Amino acid sequence: INTVTLEAAGGKTGVRQYVTPVGTEGCKGEAGLMIPPFAPAFALSPATTQSDLPDGVTTELSLPHNPLPTEIDSSQLKTASITLPEGLTLNPSAANGLKACTPAQIGIGTRNTVSCPAESKIGEVTLTVPDLPAAEPLTGSVYLGGPETGPITGPPYTMYVDAESPRYGVSVRLKGSVTPNETTGRLTATFSENPEQPFSNIKLKFNGGELAPLANPLTCGTASAETSFSPFTGQPAFAPPISSFAVDSNGKGGACPSPLPFSPTQTTSNLAPGNAGANTSFDFNLERTDGQQYLSQVKTVLPPGLLGKIPAVPLCEEAQAAAGTCSSASQVGVATVKAGSGSKPYEFPGFVYLTGPYNGAPYGLAIVVPATAGPFSLGNVVTRATINVDPSTTRVTVTSVLPTIFKGIPLRVKDVNINLNRQGYLINPTNCSAFATESTVTGSSGSVSPILSSPFQVNNCSTLAFKPSFKAKALAKTSKAFGASLETTLNIGAGQTNFKSVMVQLPKQLPSRLTTLQKACPEAVFAANPYHCPSGSFVGGARANTPTLPGKLQGPAILVSHAGLAFPDLDLVMEANGVRVILVGNTKISKGITTTTFASLPDVPVSSITVNLPIGAHSAVTGNGNLCLNPLVMPTTLIGQNGFKVTQKTKLAVAGCGVRIAGQKVIGNTAYITVQTYEAGRISGSGPNLATTYRYLGRAEKTATLKVPLSRRGRSRGRPLRVRLRVGFVSKKRGGPKSATTVTVTYR
């Protein structure tokens, strides 16, 4: 642009601007001229070649220039794209103390002083241009760029380059974008807004040390960077330069193990070990070191008896759990994740929520860790876990697949800590034996660790009471076709030790029914699915109340045969809220007397357990004689998880034994009813057209006579007169049994 000032006669002046195009020839080979050369060279140099460590990488791009004025010089660089080696990725550790530079602070397109925060500097730049002495290059800084306001919320990420020459008053400011592959984390840096000015060399040296923005690949081998450079002439480089370096095990060319090492460590702690059976908090920690496979999957089996009380926490709904938006009401703990390469990984706090069914499990966890670090706020990293309960031991198993990359940034997780600290949620076992928390961890290359075991033990179990009650009842009515019935109920108050074993011996009057034992379910069928067992093996049902589940556990009682055992087990299969519990009762029959022992009950608090074996075509027991003739007892041994023992002779209450009609006759206006009673009490006779009669018996009577005459109205009725006579019995004992039976008598 030319400006001309003209002065006319009389002192008047005029100013005029005009543009004279300056043509450039031969840019694309016109008139037989050569195309301007374009032969960039590129080199990437690591500060360390050791795998999985923070790395202060240096990149250097050179573009040769012909100094002769009569020769065609190299084309200027328009666009540069550099794809770093696979595995050389962003390092979360760099977020410690990091800030971002805003567009206003870098001031591209202005001559404003660069005011980027010192904490946003991620490297240094050296720029050599042919118009200035080679010994006096432009120097400056590389900054992490961010938006004008607010945090960085995701890729592509911005990088600013500021190269200054205070002596010559030259400032070069460039903007680059860094785009990670969201699956692998591989980085591509692109500078697409370069000025059309010559340069001969530009070197970017990124920060090294523990907080370096880049970290080396985990896998050893050749790491190659790929490039793409475009000149302003539009003619790309004939062969884009490639730069490589070898990743090794120790930074000195050491051979790399194959497969990659994987030996994570686990620590746990019970925050209330001295309170057996009481509320507690539990801390779980998993750690890996640099150079080892990343954590990929964790399966943890909690110690026996360490359980959560599901009703104490409102469950987070699935939609909220998947989105990481559970309410605080569902929170059961906190999480802390340390991510990044080097000795100073970034610490991310998070939250643990209890959810409903997830991935086939009855319950789950949603572990929500906000990816907020330094100037970054990338959203929530949501990790889901399943909670399953072993049917036989009720040990809780928590399984989770851990994320390894988020928003294109490989997490390089070093430490995972879960602290379940919700008040009133976790409860301790009531067994003070030495147990363990056991985990199996899978690495990113597929290696599976040996079982990691952390000791677990509670104390003061002997301070817990053990005062259970055990009752049993049966019906007096028995038959050859339908056998007999039996129902047992076990109760215990809150705050006591849990049941460990129960042994019950049936009276000889209630032997096992052999025809039913022969219909027992084969163990293979039962193991595959108890509900596929033959119908004849279902002999009753069971139900239990526990504070660990919202619903009542209930389900069938099934006879199960095992090879090598003389008699089938009595297995109780109870379910509630998707949780199945199987209690195994080992059966022994000697001299016609059946003994059933539940020897290994899980350490779970229950307030009551009822087992009902009714009469029916496949009844478990049958009657041997009259159940009402003599008192029946069941020798019983109850043992708590703390070793306390209760032995008793449980009296079997037989319903329907109050009175039995043994005979009858009518003489004149009076019916003579012969009855049999089984304890002291009052018998009575009543009915239409009859005078109600009472008799008191001070003891059990095999042949007591009750005289029941016609009432005045009955005597006036015609003959023969058929009357339905009711014989009742009320026990002398307060709260004792009451019963009644009827008989039809004829007055002639």
Side-chain angles (χ1 to χ4, degrees):
I1 299 176
N2 299 294
T3 302
V4 178
T5 303
L6 301 176
E7 184 174 347
K12 294 183 179 181
T13 61
V15 178
R16 183 174 182 179
Q17 291 183 337
Y18 61 94
V19 177
T20 301
V22 178
T24 303
E25 298 179 348
C27 291
K28 297 184 179 179
E30 295 96 334
L33 297 176
M34 294 179 59
I35 297 175
F38 185 67
F42 176 79
L44 184 149
S45 304
T48 177
T49 57
Q50 185 169 343
S51 68
D52 200 31
L53 283 188
D55 194 354
V57 172
T58 298
T59 63
E60 184 173 4
L61 174 61
S62 299
L63 193 60
H65 288 272
N66 195 325
L68 299 177
T70 58
E71 299 294 331
I72 297 178
D73 197 6
S74 174
S75 174
Q76 282 85 44
L77 176 68
K78 182 178 182 181
T79 300
S81 179
I82 302 168
T83 300
L84 297 185
E86 192 80 61
L88 181 63
T89 61
L90 296 176
N91 180 19
S93 299
N96 284 291
L98 187 65
K99 293 183 179 179
C101 179
T102 68
Q105 290 169 333
I106 189 65
I108 292 178
T110 75
R111 297 191 66 84
N112 299 337
T113 302
V114 173
S115 59
C116 294
E119 296 88 348
S120 65
K121 180 179 176 180
I122 57 174
E124 298 175 346
V125 59
T126 302
L127 176 63
T128 303
V129 297
D131 298 332
L132 296 177
E136 299 183 55
L138 284 69
T139 60
S141 301
V142 182
Y143 300 101
L144 171 68
E148 199 63 62
T149 60
I152 301 170
T153 58
Y157 305 110
T158 300
M159 176 171 57
Y160 292 130
V161 175
D162 172 41
E164 306 275 352
S165 176
R167 177 178 179 181
Y168 296 104
V170 178
S171 172
V172 177
R173 303 174 193 180
L174 305 176
K175 177 183 178 181
S177 66
V178 179
T179 303
N181 182 300
E182 299 235 353
T183 302
T184 66
R186 190 175 189 184
L187 299 171
T188 298
T190 303
F191 289 86
S192 58
E193 302 174 11
N194 301 318
E196 193 174 358
Q197 296 293 333
F199 75 92
S200 55
N201 181 277
I202 184 170
K203 182 184 297 184
L204 303 183
K205 182 179 181 181
F206 292 92
N207 294 345
E210 296 301 318
L211 303 183
L214 298 173
N216 274 341
L218 173 64
T219 305
C220 295
T222 301
S224 299
E226 301 172 1
T227 62
S228 175
F229 301 118
S230 299
F232 275 93
T233 61
Q235 183 70 27
F238 178 75
I242 296 175
S243 180
S244 302
F245 70 94
V247 180
D248 55 46
S249 63
N250 58 4
K252 300 177 182 179
C256 296
S258 181
L260 286 172
F262 188 60
S263 54
T265 58
Q266 169 187 288
T267 56
T268 62
S269 61
N270 181 359
L271 303 185
N275 301 321
N279 294 328
T280 189
S281 296
F282 185 72
D283 190 87
F284 172 88
N285 198 81
L286 189 65
E287 187 174 359
R288 64 167 281 273
T289 58
D290 285 321
Q292 296 196 9
Q293 297 178 41
Y294 303 137
L295 303 174
S296 176
Q297 179 172 304
V298 182
K299 178 180 180 181
T300 300
V301 183
L302 297 182
L306 182 64
L307 302 169
K309 292 187 286 187
I310 301 297
V313 182
L315 302 180
C316 178
E317 298 294 333
E318 177 57 29
Q320 287 71 38
T325 57
C326 298
S327 73
S328 58
S330 301
Q331 185 179 344
V332 293
V334 294
T336 303
V337 178
K338 294 180 181 179
S341 179
S343 62
K344 297 180 180 179
Y346 195 90
E347 186 172 297
F348 295 86
F351 309 93
V352 182
Y353 302 95
L354 183 66
T355 77
Y358 173 68
N359 201 23
Y363 296 100
L365 295 175
I367 304 168
V368 181
V369 179
T372 301
F376 296 92
S377 184
L378 306 182
N380 290 328
V381 181
V382 181
T383 303
R384 303 297 302 275
T386 59
I387 298 178
N388 283 290
V389 180
D390 185 277
S392 299
T393 66
T394 70
R395 291 186 71 177
V396 173
T397 298
V398 182
T399 303
S400 177
V401 176
L402 303 182
T404 57
I405 190 170
F406 186 71
K407 295 292 182 72
I409 302 177
L411 301 179
R412 301 178 188 253
V413 171
K414 304 288 282 298
D415 188 281
V416 177
N417 181 271
I418 303 295
N419 186 353
L420 300 178
N421 59 4
R422 171 71 175 254
Q423 187 174 3
Y425 172 61
L426 276 185
I427 51 175
N428 269 330
T430 61
N431 188 320
C432 285
S433 299
F435 296 117
T437 303
E438 299 167 331
S439 296
T440 302
V441 187
T442 303
S444 55
S445 296
S447 296
V448 179
S449 72
I451 293 179
L452 308 180
S453 182
S454 303
F456 179 94
Q457 190 170 21
V458 296
N459 303 314
N460 300 321
C461 292
S462 60
T463 63
L464 297 175
F466 186 57
K467 298 179 180 179
S469 69
F470 183 77
K471 297 180 180 180
K473 63 182 181 180
L475 295 176
K477 182 179 180 180
T478 65
S479 71
K480 184 176 181 180
F482 297 103
S485 68
L486 176 65
E487 182 176 281
T488 62
T489 299
L490 191 60
N491 292 291
I492 193 167
Q496 301 186 46
T497 188
N498 301 323
F499 292 105
K500 183 177 183 180
S501 69
V502 175
M503 187 279 291
V504 178
Q505 187 180 97
L506 301 186
K508 63 181 180 181
Q509 290 87 347
L510 284 177
S512 293
R513 193 174 180 186
L514 297 180
T515 55
T516 302
L517 293 177
Q518 295 168 356
K519 295 180 174 63
C521 180
E523 62 178 328
V525 176
F526 182 86
N529 188 336
Y531 293 96
H532 289 170
C533 287
S535 59
S537 63
F538 288 76
V539 295
R543 58 186 185 273
N545 293 312
T546 172
T548 62
L549 291 173
K552 175 180 289 190
L553 286 163
Q554 52 189 345
I558 306 174
L559 291 178
V560 182
S561 63
H562 299 273
L565 297 181
F567 304 102
D569 290 340
L570 177 65
D571 289 358
L572 310 180
V573 182
M574 297 181 288
E575 298 186 49
N577 309 110
V579 175
R580 176 180 292 179
V581 176
I582 299 176
L583 305 183
V584 178
N586 303 121
T587 301
K588 179 182 178 181
I589 302 175
S590 177
K591 298 180 180 180
I593 296 176
T594 299
T595 301
T596 300
T597 303
F598 293 88
S600 300
L601 297 176
D603 192 0
V604 177
V606 295
S607 57
S608 66
I609 303 176
T610 297
V611 179
N612 181 29
L613 306 177
I615 61 174
H618 306 299
S619 63
V621 295
T622 189
N624 185 6
N626 192 322
L627 303 184
C628 299
L629 292 178
N630 299 295
L632 303 180
V633 295
M634 300 167 57
T636 305
T637 301
L638 310 174
I639 300 177
Q641 291 285 344
N642 61 0
F644 288 5
K645 180 187 293 187
V646 172
T647 58
Q648 64 183 41
K649 291 185 177 180
T650 305
K651 294 182 179 179
L652 180 64
V654 182
C657 286
V659 63
R660 186 176 75 87
I661 297 176
Q664 59 162 304
K665 63 180 179 179
V666 177
I667 300 176
N669 292 329
T670 303
Y672 294 83
I673 308 299
T674 303
V675 299
Q676 181 181 26
T677 63
Y678 302 94
E679 59 180 299
R682 185 193 71 187
I683 57 176
S684 63
S686 61
N689 299 309
L690 298 177
T692 300
T693 304
Y694 297 96
R695 182 178 176 184
Y696 293 89
L697 305 175
R699 61 181 182 179
E701 296 283 356
K702 290 185 178 181
T703 55
T705 301
L706 181 65
K707 300 178 182 180
V708 186
L710 288 170
S711 64
R712 180 179 299 178
R713 180 181 177 183
R715 289 195 298 269
S716 65
R717 301 290 297 273
R719 305 295 176 90
L721 177 62
R722 293 173 58 85
V723 177
R724 190 168 184 80
L725 190 153
R726 178 184 183 277
V727 177
F729 173 81
V730 178
S731 173
K732 182 179 180 181
K733 297 178 181 178
R734 177 178 296 181
K738 298 179 181 179
S739 64
T741 186
T742 61
V743 63
T744 300
V745 296
T746 302
Y747 294 85
R748 300 184 182 278

